[in-house]
Amino acid sequence: MEFVFSPEQEQLRSTVRRLLAERAPLSRNRELAEHGQRHDPQVYRDMAEQIGLQGLALPEDLGGSGGSLVDLAVVCEEQGAVLFGGPFFATAVLAAHALLACADDPTSQALLGAVADGKTTATLAVVETDGRWERDGIATRAEPLGGDHRLSGMKELVLDGAGADVLLVVARSAAGLSLFRVDPAAPGVQCRPLRTLDGTRAMARLQLTDAPARLLGEDGGGWRAVERARQVATVLLAAEQVGGARQCVELTAEHARQRRQFGRPIGSFQAVKHRLADMAARLELARAAAYWAAWQCPGTSPRCDEAVAVAGSYCGESFLQTTADTIQLHGGIGFTWEHDAHLYLRRARCDLSLLGTPQQRRERLGELVGAAEGSAR
Amino acid sequence: MTTPDEHGTEAVVAQLREWLRANLPSDWRAAVEAGDTAALGAITSDPARTSAWYETLGAAGWATPGWPTEHGGRGATADEAGAVADELARWSAGRPDADFVGLALAGATILAWGTEEQRQRYLPPLARGRERWCQLFSEPGAGSDLASLATRAEAHPDGSWVVNGQKVWSSYAHESRFGLLMARSDASLPKHRGITYFLLDMSTPGVQARPLRQMTGDAEFNEVFLDDVVVPDSARLGGVNEGWRVAITTLMSERSGLSGRPAVGPGVTDALVARARTTGAWDSPVLRDRILGLLVEERTLQMATLRAFAPAMTRRARRDRSASWCTRS
C-alpha cells in the first residue's frame, strides 16, 4: 500500500509549478481577469505541446499519455494555487471525461485527440435555471432533423462557455437525456459571458434556439457521460481547492512571520498561531480527501462514490473557511482590493456552486451509507 | 500510487486463521460463529480460560506479531500486525485494552533499549499475558510539560536507587506487575537531561496505587505514591540521565498505537447514522446534514491518518523486516 506520490508525480508537480510561476503566476492571472481576458492562449498551447497536460489522463490510443487521475490532480492543485483561469478545467476535465464516456463514437475520438493536442478547447453545458445537477432539471429539447438534431433551451453556469471551440450540451431527446456537440458559431447559438463573483473563471449563459447539433454516443445515454464528467471534475476541483488553500496558508504564515506589532512578529501570538494551525490542519485533511478520491476514481463502486462525496463536501467548505481566515489574519490589508486575499475567497465561494453544493454531496453520502448498511465493504 | 486494497497482509492472515482453527478452543469458536454473546462472555470473562489462551497465543507469537522472531514475535510489518489484531478481534481472542501499555509501549521500549538480560526477563511473560504493565510518567505538577517531573531517584552507594514522588493518570497501575517509571536522577542538569528510566516492580515496598474514579464510573486511572522505593540498578532502562530519549520511544509508540491501524471505512459515525435512522432523526434534513458532516470529518481524518502513515509504512516495508518493530530513529 502506498498513499504517497511517486518520483514521477513529484517531477510533474515541479515542472507544472515552474511553468505556472514563469508564465501564469497569480499576478498575471489577476491582470488578465481584470481585463476580462482570463487566459493567455499561448500558455494553454504550451501546456499541451511542451508537457502534454491536456492529454495527461487520456488513454494512449486516443492521443493521451495514459496517466492517472492522481497525475491530473497534481496539475489541478498547482493551477488552483495560482487561480489559473484558462480553459483547462472545462476542456481537459469536464469535456474530456464526458467524451470518454462515449469514446466508441468516432466524433468523440476525434475531439479527444484535438483536446489532447491543445488545439481545441471545449466545455460541458448541463445545468439550467435551478443550477442543480439532476436529471429532472434538464428541460433543453433535442428535435431530430435529418440525420442531426436541433436544440432549444437555456444553459447556466457554462464554464468557459463564451470561449470554447466546442460545446457539449445535454438535452432531452425522445430517447431521453443525450449528449450533443454544438458549434458555438452556428445559427441559433448565443453565448453570453456572465459577470460572476470570481473573475478568474469565465462563466457563460448559453441560449439555444433551434441550434444545429450532432448526437455523441448513444441516444438517451447522455446522463452517464454527465455523471462520469461530474465525478472526475468534483475530484479535480477538490485538488484545485487544495492548491488554493495551500497558497492561502503559505501567504498567511509568511505574513505572520513578517508583520510586527507590540515589538514581535504577530505569529508569536497564540491567537494567531491557533488559527494558522487550524488552517494547516484543514489543508492536510483536504489534501488527504482529494488525493484519496483521485486514487479511487474513475469508477462506479460505492467506495469510489463515497470518496468523491467526502472530498467534494470537505475540500470546498474547508477552502472557503481558509480564505476567510486568510483575510482575518492579514488585518486591514486583507480587506483591500489591492491584496490577493479576496481573489481566493471569491474562487472558494463560487466553487461551492460549480458542480453542485456540499450539502448535495452529503445527501449523496447519506444514500451511500444507507445502501452499504448490512453489507461488507 | 498503488491501489489501497493491496495491503499485502493476506498471507499472514491466512496463517493466523489456520492456526486459530487448530488452537482456538472449540466452544470459543462455536460461540463466535453462532453469535452467542452470552456463551462468549462466559468464556472471555473466565480468568482461567483467558490466561490459558494468552499462554497459547503468546507462545505462538500471535500476541506480539511485530516483535522480532528471536524475541518471541513473528517479525511482521506494521500492516501485518494490524491485520493480525483485526482478525483476533473478530474472534474475541486478542489481548485486552488493559495490556496496551505492556504490549505496545513496554515491548517497543525494552526491545529498543533493553539489555539482552532485560529482554529475556521481561518480554516472554509480557507476550504470554502473565504480567501487566503501567506507565508512571505524568505527575500532578508535570502534565503537558512532562520533562519538568519532580519524582526523584537518588543513587545509593550500593548501586541501587531510592525513589520518592507521586505519579498520576496511571492506567491499570493497581493491577500491574511493572511500571515504566521516569524519575529525576540529577536536578543540577537541564530538565530533559537529568531523567533516568526504570522498569519498576510494583510490588516493591513503598509503592501505593490508588484508583481514581472517572466520569464513566469506572476506575482505570490511578494515583501512584512512591515513598522510599528501593529500585535495583538492574531495573534501569538505558543510561543514567538518558531517560528522556528512552521515553521518546515509549511516547512515539503510544502515539502510533493510539491512532490505530490506518484504514478508511465504517467508523463510529456509521453507527450514529444507523441509530439516527431508527430514531427518525434521519428524516430531519438539518440533523441529517449535521450527522453527514460528522461522517465527512471522520472519513477525512481516516484518509489523513492513512496518508500520514504511508511514508513510514513504505519505508518499513522496504527495510529489513526484523527491524520493523523499532521506533527509534
Side-chain angles (χ1 to χ4, degrees):
Chain A
M1 175 176 57
E2 286 187 45
F3 190 10
V4 287
F5 296 112
S6 67
E8 294 76 20
Q9 284 161 344
E10 296 292 359
Q11 177 70 36
L12 171 69
R13 183 187 294 285
S14 62
T15 306
V16 175
R17 195 179 284 196
R18 199 163 48 240
L19 175 88
L20 291 168
E22 285 167 10
R23 309 278 306 282
L26 176 62
S27 55
R28 174 76 178 137
N29 298 332
R30 177 177 184 152
E31 191 187 316
L32 287 166
E34 284 175 0
H35 291 89
Q37 287 173 289
R38 296 195 172 96
H39 96 108
D40 175 349
Q42 190 56 49
V43 173
Y44 186 79
R45 277 193 296 273
D46 288 348
M47 279 180 171
E49 286 162 15
Q50 293 175 10
I51 333 181
L53 296 186
Q54 283 84 335
L56 188 63
L58 298 179
E60 291 180 46
D61 59 354
L62 294 173
S65 41
S68 69
L69 283 186
V70 174
D71 299 334
L72 194 52
V74 167
V75 175
C76 290
E77 182 186 331
E78 295 308 316
Q79 294 185 344
V82 296
L83 303 180
F84 182 70
F88 190 89
F89 198 84
T91 306
V93 176
L94 273 172
H97 285 271
L99 288 169
L100 277 175
C102 34
D104 31 5
D105 183 316
T107 313
S108 294
Q109 292 172 4
L111 271 174
L112 281 165
V115 162
D117 286 348
K119 301 224 162 49
T120 294
T121 64
T123 190
L124 179 64
V126 181
V127 301
E128 304 189 357
T129 42
D130 68 359
R132 288 164 58 242
W133 287 69
E134 300 291 343
R135 290 169 202 261
D136 58 12
I138 313 298
T140 298
R141 314 285 318 174
E143 305 292 343
L145 186 93
D148 282 335
H149 287 76
R150 301 238 173 227
L151 305 192
S152 296
M154 188 156 78
K155 294 289 179 183
E156 294 286 354
L157 301 178
V158 184
L159 193 58
D160 271 301
D165 300 326
V166 173
L167 303 169
L168 304 179
V169 181
V170 181
R172 199 173 286 280
S173 73
L177 292 173
S178 310
L179 189 65
F180 295 90
R181 177 197 169 146
V182 173
D183 176 358
V189 180
Q190 199 192 11
C191 230
R192 202 157 58 81
L194 293 176
R195 208 177 138 81
T196 66
L197 191 62
D198 173 17
T200 61
R201 265 206 229 277
M203 205 67 88
R205 172 178 295 144
L206 175 62
Q207 179 78 54
L208 300 165
T209 317
D210 286 329
R214 167 157 296 179
L215 178 71
L216 289 173
E218 187 195 339
D219 194 10
W223 196 251
R224 216 185 51 242
V226 169
E227 297 220 299
R228 159 101 188 239
R230 188 190 181 200
Q231 180 187 69
V232 169
T234 300
V235 174
L236 294 167
L237 182 66
E240 271 198 10
Q241 289 162 334
V242 168
R246 185 188 84 203
Q247 199 59 26
C248 285
V249 171
E250 282 173 15
L251 266 178
T252 312
E254 186 54 26
H255 177 73
R257 279 190 285 267
Q258 299 301 323
R259 170 76 175 163
R260 296 178 72 86
Q261 289 287 276
F262 305 101
R264 312 153 56 173
I266 61 165
S268 66
F269 295 111
Q270 205 169 37
V272 172
K273 279 187 204 172
H274 280 181
R275 203 185 277 223
L276 266 167
D278 287 344
M279 290 168 72
R282 274 199 302 271
L283 172 61
E284 278 314 305
L285 293 172
R287 200 192 301 273
Y291 282 99
W292 173 264
W295 197 8
Q296 312 295 314
C297 279
T300 50
S301 67
R303 182 192 183 111
C304 177
D305 281 346
E306 184 181 299
V308 174
V310 168
S313 170
Y314 191 81
C315 298
E317 286 182 345
S318 70
F319 180 31
L320 182 63
Q321 181 63 53
T322 290
T323 61
D325 285 347
T326 298
I327 290 176
Q328 290 297 324
L329 286 175
H330 274 81
I333 188 80
F335 287 78
T336 64
W337 183 264
E338 177 195 356
H339 199 272
D340 292 330
H342 69 103
L343 302 177
Y344 288 92
L345 176 79
R346 288 164 185 277
R347 169 64 73 91
R349 189 62 198 81
C350 285
D351 276 0
L352 293 187
S353 325
L354 191 59
L355 299 164
T357 64
Q359 289 78 13
Q360 287 164 349
R361 300 218 171 81
R362 287 194 287 275
E363 280 290 328
R364 175 77 188 120
L365 184 61
E367 292 163 19
L368 289 164
V369 172
E373 241 169 60
S375 67
R377 278 185 297 169
Chain B
M1 297 186 185
T2 50
T3 79
D5 299 321
E6 292 166 13
H7 278 278
T9 56
E10 296 81 359
V12 174
V13 173
Q15 269 178 20
L16 173 59
R17 285 191 182 143
E18 197 181 318
W19 182 86
L20 284 170
R21 261 193 297 278
N23 291 279
L24 190 67
S26 54
D27 60 332
W28 193 318
R29 164 176 287 278
V32 174
E33 282 173 346
D36 186 343
T37 47
L40 185 61
I43 296 169
T44 56
S45 61
D46 177 353
R49 296 291 307 269
T50 53
S51 57
W53 172 245
Y54 298 150
E55 282 288 340
T56 311
L57 188 72
W62 288 116
T64 55
W67 291 6
T69 44
E70 64 269 31
H71 290 108
R74 303 185 65 91
T77 63
D79 244 2
E80 291 169 338
V84 166
D86 287 353
E87 182 65 18
L88 288 174
R90 204 161 296 137
W91 295 98
S92 297
R95 295 275 292 275
D97 288 348
D99 282 337
F100 172 76
V101 171
L103 293 170
L105 312 192
T109 314
I110 294 168
L111 279 166
W113 294 90
T115 60
E116 196 47 41
E117 206 179 351
Q118 286 172 326
R119 291 174 175 184
Q120 297 299 342
R121 162 62 191 91
Y122 299 109
L123 296 179
L126 176 46
R128 286 164 179 73
R130 290 181 203 152
E131 292 172 347
R132 181 154 291 168
W133 288 70
C134 66
Q135 204 176 357
L136 304 169
F137 279 23
S138 297
E139 297 181 3
S144 308
D145 182 11
L146 179 60
S148 71
L149 57 88
T151 293
R152 282 167 295 118
E154 284 172 53
H156 251 217
D158 68 359
S160 65
W161 299 79
V162 178
V163 177
N164 278 285
Q166 186 189 341
K167 296 289 176 176
V168 74
W169 313 130
S170 300
S171 302
Y172 304 103
H174 58 302
E175 304 173 348
S176 290
R177 176 74 173 84
F178 290 101
L180 303 171
L181 172 68
M182 289 172 80
R184 185 158 307 284
S185 41
D186 190 339
S188 70
L189 292 171
K191 63 181 181 180
H192 291 87
R193 293 200 207 135
I195 296 168
T196 300
Y197 197 116
F198 300 95
L199 305 172
L200 175 68
D201 183 338
M202 296 293 284
S203 64
T204 315
V207 179
Q208 195 197 358
R210 279 188 214 155
L212 288 168
R213 203 171 164 81
Q214 298 147 229
M215 61 191 275
T216 57
D218 297 337
E220 291 165 351
F221 291 140
N222 290 267
E223 296 178 286
V224 178
F225 297 90
L226 304 164
D227 295 310
D228 290 327
V229 179
V230 179
V231 181
D233 195 51
S234 60
R236 172 168 51 79
L237 190 64
V240 173
N241 295 333
E242 282 182 6
W244 184 256
R245 289 177 57 208
V246 183
I248 292 296
T249 301
T250 312
L251 293 171
M252 294 310 284
S253 306
E254 186 166 11
R255 281 173 193 151
S256 56
L258 291 179
S259 37
R261 181 183 178 220
V264 177
V268 227
T269 320
D270 294 76
L272 181 63
V273 170
R275 177 105 186 105
R277 283 173 188 276
T278 62
T279 61
W282 193 249
D283 300 329
S284 150
V286 175
L287 289 179
R288 198 164 60 230
D289 192 60
R290 286 186 63 179
I291 294 168
L292 286 165
L294 289 175
L295 188 70
V296 166
E297 287 187 28
E298 187 181 62
R299 288 288 195 278
T300 309
L301 272 169
Q302 291 172 337
M303 293 161 187
T305 309
L306 189 68
R307 201 168 165 270
F309 273 77
M313 290 194 292
T314 308
R315 272 200 307 278
R316 278 181 192 205
R318 286 176 191 153
R319 244 177 16 213
D320 176 7
R321 287 189 158 210
S322 69
S324 66
W325 47 267
C326 182
T327 54
R328 223 161 120 192
S329 54

